[in-house]
Structures are given as C-alpha cells and as structure tokens.
Amino acid sequence: MNSEQIIASLKELVATSEAPGKVLTDAADLDSYGKDWTRIYAPNPLAIVLPKTTEQVQALVKFANEHNVALVPSGGRTGLSAGAVAAKGEVVVAFDNMNQILDFNASDRLVRCQAGVVTEQLQNFAEENNLYYPVDFASAGSSQLGGNLSTNAGGIKVIRYGMSRDWVAGLKVVTGKGDILDLNKNLEKNNTGYDLRHLFIGAEGTLGFITEATMKLSRQPDNLTVLVLGLNDLGNTMDVLKTFQSGLDLTAYEFFSHQAMAHVLAHGQVPAPFETEAPYYALLEFEATSDQVMDDAMSLFEQCMENGWVLDGVISQSETQAHNLWQLRERISESIAPRTPYKNDISVVVSKVPGFLQEIDKVVTTHYPDFEIIWFGHIGDGNLHLNILKPENMAKEDFFEKCQQVNKWVFEIVEKYQGSVSAEHGVGMTKKPYLKYTRSEAEIAYLKGIKQVFDPNGIINPGKIFD
C-alpha cells in the first residue's frame, strides 16, 4: 500500500458512527504529535490517528500487522527520552481524545480512566471526591495517564507514595498482536501466575497500547507543610534526611543547587526563601497533623542547625506559602529552558547520592569548564537530574555532540555505582545506546524475548529501548 492508501484505510478504521476517531495529516499536526520534549530528533510521521475506543485501537493494530505499518503511541508528549517520537514515517496513535473518567467506586477507592486522562484531571477528580491521587510532577497539567504508566513515572512524592506502578489496580491493553487483554480485573489479591500489567507498566508502549487503567486513590493528606533548608555541604543532604526520617513521615524530600536557585530567582515571580546563601538546598514536605508534629519538626530542624548541617531555613505557615516554597523547586526546568539544557535523569541508591553526584560533577567540570551544571532532583528516592546548559556562543549541534561524550563518562559512573541510566523517563531512543550500563546482556535478551511474544512483527514503537 502507498501512503495515500494507508491514510485512507486509517480514516475508514476509526470512522465508527457512535464514536468516530480522527486522522490528521497537516504539517503542523505531524510536527506537534510526532515529537516529545527531547527536541533532538526531527519528527516525520506519516499520519496522526486519534482513536476514541479500545476497539478502534485494536483495529489499527490488526491493520498495522497486516500491512507492516509501524505505530508509535503518544500521550502528553512530555517525555525526555524520545520514547514517543515518530522520526521514520510511522503512524502516531495519540490518546488525546480518549480522555474520559469512565467509572468510580468510592468504597473501593478505584477510578477507571481512559489512557488520555491528564494527570491533573485525575488529581482534581480525586480531590472532588475527598480523596487523593499522589503521583505528581511538574508536567501534571499535560502528561497523560497512559504515558505515565508506560514510563512508570515517579515525581516528587515517591519517598512516601511510590511510583505510578504502585497505584494501578487493573489495565486494559491492546497487544502488538491485536488482542485485547483485561489485566488483573482490579483485584487487590490475585496470585494466579504472571502479573502481566506490570510488563506493560514501564514498557514504553513497545508491547502494545494501554487504553484504560483503573487507579487506586488514597485519603487526602492533612495540612501539608513545607520546610526549605540551606545546607552547608552536599553530604549534609543525607544527614538531614536521616534526622527528619527518624521523627517524621516525609511526603517529599527534594534537592537543588545554589546555581539552580539563582536561575529561578533571576527568572522572577519567586522570592528567595531567606537571606542566607547556601551551596545546596533541601525541600521537605510532611503532614503537620498536630501541634506536636510541628514541635517535633522544629526540634529536628534545631538539631540540624546545631550540628552545622543547616545554615538557615523557613517553614510554611499556610497553604499559600507552602505552594510558593514549592515553586523554588518546580520552576527550575522552566527557568533554565532558554539555555537549551542537556538533561540526564539518573538514579542510585539513596545513600550513594553525595559521592555519585560529586564524581559526575568533577568529571564534567574538568573536561568542560565552560559548561554550567545545574543539579536538582528527588534526592529522597535517589533520583538526580543533571542539566548542562549550552554556552551562549556555542552552536546547538556542537553542544549536543560534546554532551554525547559527557554521557559516556556519566554512565560509566552510573555503572560503577550500580545505578540506572534512566530513573523516570524511560529508555526511548536517547538512552538506548547506554542500556548496557544498567542492564546485563542476559536481561536485555529476556526483554527482547518478551517483546517478541507480545509484538512478533515489531510494529509497536519500533526502535525504542533496543533495536
């Protein structure tokens, strides 16, 4: 089939009378839907399909198998590993129009959603029902549930609530063969062999398409309170974490460097938390459920000050102030965006973070002293974001070429510390050459074997994770 025939067939497949889907071919749509936040690969999809039902997705997959058409899943397109990029004439299957909350059971605290439901949409729905969906990150206003699950997104609350995986009661998927599977049926206990939902969570859409997910909800947190601390030394991040965890159940423990703070303050809209400057900062969040909890928090803070770990600090006195303090962390990516940052999303065991970060920082600054490095991340779960900013007088192409060399050094250190080359955003295409630094040859062989079972013709998101 030629391109025109494929597009005509796609339109016919999703043109069901009750819930017709769409097929887009305009240049602007091809560009918008064919890429994610990486901006490294030029998008080049054949067409964009926006289905409305699981059955339409199934029809697309069966057609793709019959005519050897590659399909690329697309959610909110906020990923940083090019996992949703269509650069080789693929057909993008975007879930923007499958964005309905289908069912809710208050007794079970379960909500059934289509894959295109936006994270913030689910959070707001939970709040309207006096419940809580705790998986949260800066892209919550645009990221979609299907994409979150396909990369097992984590975010800022992992230290207390875990990853996306931990909130999935059931999944409906269309496999690469075109079979519809209803996985786990929302059961809390179901020990009947392999739990296939967990293969699809984190698979980056390489095994098939998640079309629905039943998500668990929790009670709403009580009086979330934020504490921002200026730290004397990088190693003090672990001292402070250990101290506060001895007396409080933290819901978040974030970290950012003085350079990161400087960019946020220069960007405007957010004031400095206190006058004292520090080389590193920590942001802690906890539930201040009583006066005693607040007293305990202040006692722990004073202990950290007495030990010389903390130079200064501020604690929120209202929900508004807590929100404003969070902006110091959440506006970092926005403030450095004009500098064309090269991003790396890496992780190690929490206790290894200081040595790991210092070793990477030393390597990069030694070889490229003109590169500005911005560190921040979810240090409470071992997840660090390394951002290298492009010098103003360097061409983008030259900068990214030099960063490829930086990648090799960084991932050799990741391997040394037995960490992960991708903590949150998956492998996609950008991390594909470096998968060996985290996964053994035997593991990769098993991954490929699983791919072959679910997608024998290799038509679902080809070229992602591995070739």
Side-chain angles (χ1 to χ4, degrees), residues 7 57 59 100 127 171 225 259 269 281 288 323 353 363-364 380 382 386 392 399 432-433 451 465:
I7 292 171
V57 176
Q100 301 300 305
E127 186 175 356
L171 289 180
T225 301
Q259 292 89 338
Q269 300 178 315
Y281 298 86
H323 171 79
V353 165
V363 166
V364 178
L386 166 63
E392 292 184 8
F399 173 63
K432 183 169 62 173
K451 166 75 168 174
I465 305 182

Side-chain angles (χ1 to χ4, degrees), residues 319-354:
E319 187 175 329
T320 298
Q321 190 179 9
H323 171 79
N324 291 338
L325 289 174
W326 262 114
Q327 298 307 297
L328 294 167
R329 164 63 180 85
E330 293 190 334
R331 287 186 180 268
I332 295 173
S333 291
E334 172 188 328
S335 67
I336 64 176
R339 292 286 304 277
T340 316
Y342 188 84
K343 296 174 174 287
N344 245 319
D345 163 46
I346 49 186
S347 67
V348 290
V349 172
V350 175
S351 61
K352 297 180 180 179
V353 165

Side-chain angles (χ1 to χ4, degrees), residues 338-340 370-372 389-396 399:
R339 292 286 304 277
T340 316
D370 55 335
F371 283 1
E372 183 181 358
L389 305 190
K390 184 182 77 66
E392 292 184 8
N393 60 351
M394 183 178 289
K396 178 180 175 181
F399 173 63

Side-chain angles (χ1 to χ4, degrees), residues 199 440-453 466:
L199 286 179
S440 68
E441 289 185 11
E443 284 182 290
I444 294 172
Y446 277 107
L447 293 177
K448 291 180 177 179
I450 293 169
K451 166 75 168 174
Q452 181 65 25
V453 169
F466 41 70

Side-chain angles (χ1 to χ4, degrees), residues 235-249:
N236 295 148
T237 56
M238 295 297 105
D239 299 319
V240 171
L241 176 61
K242 182 178 178 181
T243 298
F244 273 87
Q245 284 190 313
S246 70
L248 297 175
D249 291 323

